[in-house]
């Protein structure tokens, strides 16, 4: 299954500063209806982060964030290929949301108070709980973050990573030299080339980037996390219906995992289950799709095409992937994690 990728859309501002929405009228646009009229969803993504948003051989986009975009497209169109992906950098990722050049952003973006209240955007759900970590060369002998006192550290500009780095080192009276880059790719290449002693970003991103090195075994990720990084999709503020659609797409995938509904058994479940929760999820009881502006089998479409959250996690970043990340805080609430599926009723 191959999906077309758009490098940019009309009106995309290539500035490093946050841009306000175009005008008040733009805020009243019904994103769902616009997507239906257009015939596809537009989704802002990473330029290439293994496990979350990257192009596999043949050009197909894959990853946890990619699956979320596909799941929304499946809910709307019953076709997960009806997505156009827009690659964004740390500097442009929020601009494309604010200006309406994409319907949503699904790109390892941290939900913070200032972004939620001051940038004209909303975060409907958190699809990955993370924290900021550090990667060093194994030969350096450094085993903890405090061992980086006086070190040079590569970091991407315009990210919460920069702010967390400054806060942590100041709070712990540690000296450091920041070596900043406009893109994550530039920073990781500089680190591999020896221009800095450490590279810092979200721990999941470190695991993903290490796979790209010529000798991944020469690098280690330090055990400490210095921040909380709730990552999730962002949409323009002002369209609560579309925000709800994104939110309940994530919750549908969580509910499916919690209830044991998978791509493999969804057809059987839909045809024979008497469990009222599963019947509501799959659209055989109730009219919950109508309140989202969708057909009542919207969640069934998601699971049939994309799968539940656990399936997506496993194949992209978990045990079934090259990253091999543990579920940890991203496990279901019933298994000690933070992923809590809100009820469909």
């Amino acid at each position: 299954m191959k999906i077309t990728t758009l490098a940019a859309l009309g009106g995309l501002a290539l500035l490093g500063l946050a841009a306000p929405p175009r005008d008040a009228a733009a805020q009243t646009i019904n994103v769902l209806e616009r997507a239906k009229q257009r015939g596809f969803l537009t989704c802002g993504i990473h330029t290439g982060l293994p496990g979350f948003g990257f192009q596999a051989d043949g050009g197909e986009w894959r990853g946890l964030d990619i699956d979320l975009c596909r799941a929304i497209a499946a809910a709307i169109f019953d076709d997960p290929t009806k997505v156009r992906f827009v690659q964004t950098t740390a500097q442009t990722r929020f601009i494309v949301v604010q200006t309406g050049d994409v319907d949503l952003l699904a790109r390892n973006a941290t939900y913070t108070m200032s972004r939620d209240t001051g940038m004209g955007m909303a975060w409907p759900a958190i699809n990955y709980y993370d924290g900021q970590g550090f990667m060093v060369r194994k030969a350096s002998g450094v085993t903890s973050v405090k061992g980086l006192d006086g070190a040079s550290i590569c970091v991407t500009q315009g990210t919460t990573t920069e702010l967390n780095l400054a806060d942590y080192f100041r709070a712990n009276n540690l000296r450091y030299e920041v070596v900043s880059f406009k893109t994550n790719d530039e920073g990781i290449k500089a680190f591999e080339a020896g221009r800095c002693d450490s590279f810092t970003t979200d721990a999941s991103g470190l695991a993903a980037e290490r796979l790209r090195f010529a000798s991944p075994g020469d690098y280690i990720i330090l055990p400490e996390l210095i921040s909380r990084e709730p990552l999730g999709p962002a949409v323009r503020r002002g369209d609560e219906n579309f925000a709800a659609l994104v939110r309940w797409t994530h919750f549908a995938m969580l509910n499916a995992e919690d209830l044991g509904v998978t791509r493999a058994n969804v057809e059987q479940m839909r045809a024979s289950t008497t469990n009222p929760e599963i019947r509501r999820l799959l659209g055989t009881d109730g009219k919950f799709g109508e309140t989202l502006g969708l057909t009542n089998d919207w969640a069934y479409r998601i699971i049939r095409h994309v799968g539940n959250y656990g399936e997506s996690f496993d194949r992209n970043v978990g045990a079934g992937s090259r990253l091999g990340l543990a579920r940890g805080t991203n496990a279901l609430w019933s298994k000690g994690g933070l992923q809590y599926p809100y009820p469909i009723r």
Side-chain angles (χ1 to χ4, degrees):
M1 181 171 59
K2 185 175 181 180
I3 296 179
T4 303
T5 303
L6 300 183
L9 291 177
L12 173 61
L14 298 178
L15 301 175
L17 301 176
R22 284 171 177 157
D23 51 49
Q27 291 292 288
T28 65
I29 292 174
N30 186 313
V31 175
L32 175 59
E33 289 307 312
R34 185 174 62 180
K36 287 179 177 179
Q37 292 169 12
R38 187 196 304 127
F40 57 86
L41 185 76
T42 56
C43 195
I45 58 170
H46 204 284
T47 54
L49 184 64
F52 292 86
F54 71 104
Q55 280 185 297
D57 294 341
E60 181 184 11
W61 283 96
R62 296 180 184 174
L64 191 72
D65 292 330
I66 301 300
D67 274 2
L68 180 61
C69 296
R70 286 179 173 158
I72 297 167
I76 299 170
F77 302 108
D78 197 18
D79 186 346
T81 69
K82 290 191 174 181
V83 186
R84 298 296 181 268
F85 293 112
V86 180
Q87 298 180 56
T88 66
T89 66
Q91 290 73 38
T92 63
R93 57 184 171 166
F94 297 137
I95 296 173
V96 294
V97 179
Q98 294 162 333
T99 57
D101 285 319
V102 298
D103 297 326
L104 76 152
L105 180 75
R107 182 199 185 281
N108 68 322
T110 302
Y111 177 29
T112 69
M113 181 177 179
S114 61
R115 288 174 176 175
D116 183 39
T117 61
M119 297 182 70
M121 296 183 297
W123 267 256
I126 302 302
N127 70 330
Y128 194 90
Y129 291 94
D130 209 343
Q132 184 173 331
F134 294 80
M135 182 160 50
V136 298
R137 293 170 189 80
K138 188 181 295 185
S140 70
V142 175
T143 58
S144 72
V145 177
K146 291 184 178 179
L148 292 173
D149 189 20
S152 57
I153 300 175
C154 284
V155 64
T156 307
Q157 298 170 5
T159 61
T160 55
T161 307
E162 275 189 303
L163 302 177
N164 295 334
L165 177 64
D167 286 349
Y168 182 86
F169 274 68
R170 182 169 59 248
N172 287 278
N173 296 314
L174 300 174
R175 298 172 296 106
Y176 74 104
E177 176 190 352
V178 64
V179 185
S180 61
F181 297 88
K182 288 185 178 180
T183 69
N184 197 71
D185 191 54
E186 290 174 339
I188 202 69
K189 286 179 179 177
F191 170 60
E192 187 179 20
R195 292 181 57 188
C196 46
D197 301 312
S198 176
F199 180 80
T200 183
T201 190
D202 298 337
S204 61
L206 294 176
E209 296 292 5
R210 184 169 58 176
L211 293 177
R212 301 168 60 185
F213 290 165
S215 301
D218 292 345
Y219 301 86
I220 61 170
I221 298 171
L222 299 180
E224 304 103 319
L225 299 179
I226 68 167
S227 72
R228 299 180 302 279
E229 304 295 325
L231 309 178
V235 299
R236 267 195 305 171
R237 189 175 292 279
D239 188 341
E240 292 302 322
N241 290 336
F242 186 69
L245 176 104
V246 175
R247 179 182 307 115
W248 284 99
T249 294
H250 177 61
F251 287 153
M253 296 176 75
L254 288 178
N255 271 289
E257 181 183 7
D258 200 36
L259 294 167
V261 183
T262 67
R263 290 180 76 182
N265 69 19
V266 68
E267 299 291 356
Q268 177 189 351
M269 288 281 198
R270 191 165 190 255
S272 63
T273 187
T274 58
N275 183 314
E277 287 188 90
I278 296 176
R279 289 179 63 83
R280 288 193 296 269
L281 174 69
L282 301 183
T284 53
D285 279 354
K287 296 183 179 180
F288 297 98
E290 291 182 6
T291 59
L292 290 173
L294 303 174
T295 57
N296 289 321
D297 65 349
W298 63 282
Y300 159 73
R301 294 175 170 188
I302 292 169
I303 301 158
R304 180 164 69 93
H305 289 297
V306 180
N308 65 40
Y309 179 82
E311 290 177 291
S312 178
F313 188 100
D314 182 70
R315 68 172 169 260
N316 290 303
V317 299
S321 73
R322 293 176 62 205
L323 270 68
L325 298 176
R327 284 292 290 266
T329 52
N330 290 290
L332 289 176
W333 66 287
S334 55
K335 297 182 178 179
L338 298 177
Q339 293 292 358
Y340 188 96
Y342 287 22
I344 296 174
R345 68 166 71 105

